[in-house]
Amino acid sequence: DASVILSENESGFADVPVSHWANGYINAALNREIIPLDNEFRPSDTLSFEDAIKYTVNALGYKSECNTLIDYLIKAMDLGLLDGAEQSVGDIATRETVANLIYNALDVPNMEMLNYGTEIVYEVPTNYHTFLSNAGIAKAKGTVEEISFAPQSKVLGFTVQSISKQFDNMNDYYYDNTITMEGDLLRLPYKNGISVKPHYSVDAYID
């Protein structure tokens, strides 16, 4: 975890000592150029809606395409980040808004800095990464076909319509018996409290 490794380094912000609980996270964000280095970080301040958008876009690697607030807003719309994030510029970002921004960003292709000899370019590579793939998580879209009951658990089975690009072959990826693939039917543990019925369209996030 980069935040743990960087927690012992000074952040460069006058108001963030090494002893601050968020020092490692702030350093990780600085290291990835998600946030700019300024004299003060103001860790107790609220977060504005526009800064929440800006930092999310930067985390996805699209900083090189954005110079103004309008650029960031347009890029966030193009990437589908604003679904459910219904606030206005100047508002204090709510936890719900930040959660929606991050959720929408989970499977967005990350832009990367690529080196072609002496030329450095920013682009989304063919074999791109996402926040999900970086965390070793696959996203599967499908339609629920059945919910079966075993002695100690329930099993959800659904027909897979698409799986994260990085995990095209589920059988090769999973090595235990908790998740199986039978043709296009994916079977995985179904936890109590989740409201899913046959023929529902669902997204499954599987690590």
Side-chain angles (χ1 to χ4, degrees):
D1 189 312
S3 65
V4 174
I5 296 172
L6 296 171
S7 63
E8 298 180 359
N9 297 345
E10 292 194 10
S11 67
F13 293 109
D15 55 352
V16 182
V18 172
S19 59
H20 194 282
W21 69 267
N23 182 57
Y25 300 104
I26 293 168
N27 281 334
L30 273 172
N31 200 41
R32 292 194 57 193
E33 299 185 352
I34 296 171
I35 59 176
L37 179 60
D38 203 345
N39 183 49
E40 293 184 338
F41 182 74
R42 299 183 296 279
S44 297
D45 280 7
T46 55
L47 179 69
S48 68
F49 177 55
E50 53 268 33
D51 278 348
I53 291 172
K54 180 178 180 179
Y55 299 154
T56 306
V57 170
N58 287 350
L60 290 166
Y62 292 86
K63 179 180 178 180
S64 63
E65 295 188 352
C66 302
N67 296 310
T68 67
L69 176 57
I70 295 298
D71 293 338
Y72 276 102
L73 292 173
I74 292 173
K75 179 55 66 175
M77 286 189 285
D78 289 345
L79 297 175
L81 300 180
L82 301 183
D83 293 346
E86 299 172 356
Q87 289 192 256
S88 301
V89 171
D91 287 350
I92 295 172
T94 65
R95 292 183 179 182
E96 180 182 2
T97 288
V98 174
N100 277 315
L101 286 171
I102 295 172
Y103 175 77
N104 294 334
L106 289 177
D107 55 354
V108 172
N110 291 185
M111 179 172 281
E112 300 177 22
M113 184 179 73
L114 303 177
N115 192 332
Y116 294 103
T118 59
E119 183 183 10
I120 295 177
V121 299
Y122 291 87
E123 62 182 44
V124 177
T126 303
N127 295 318
Y128 61 79
H129 294 89
T130 67
F131 289 165
L132 288 177
S133 66
N134 287 337
I137 297 173
K139 178 181 180 180
K141 285 181 172 289
T143 303
V144 176
E145 298 295 336
E146 63 182 50
I147 299 175
S148 56
F149 292 84
Q152 301 297 326
S153 64
K154 298 178 184 177
V155 176
L156 175 70
F158 67 97
T159 300
V160 174
Q161 296 165 347
S162 65
I163 297 176
S164 299
K165 180 176 179 294
Q166 291 80 5
F167 300 99
D168 289 336
N169 193 328
M170 301 290 278
N171 283 325
D172 287 347
Y173 183 69
Y174 294 108
Y175 53 85
D176 59 28
N177 294 321
T178 60
I179 300 171
T180 59
M181 194 80 175
E182 298 175 10
D184 289 330
L185 191 69
L186 181 69
R187 297 182 183 276
L188 65 159
Y190 171 60
K191 296 182 179 179
N192 288 325
I194 299 176
S195 179
V196 180
K197 297 180 180 179
H199 311 303
Y200 272 29
S201 294
V202 297
D203 292 346
Y205 295 90
I206 311 162
D207 62 16

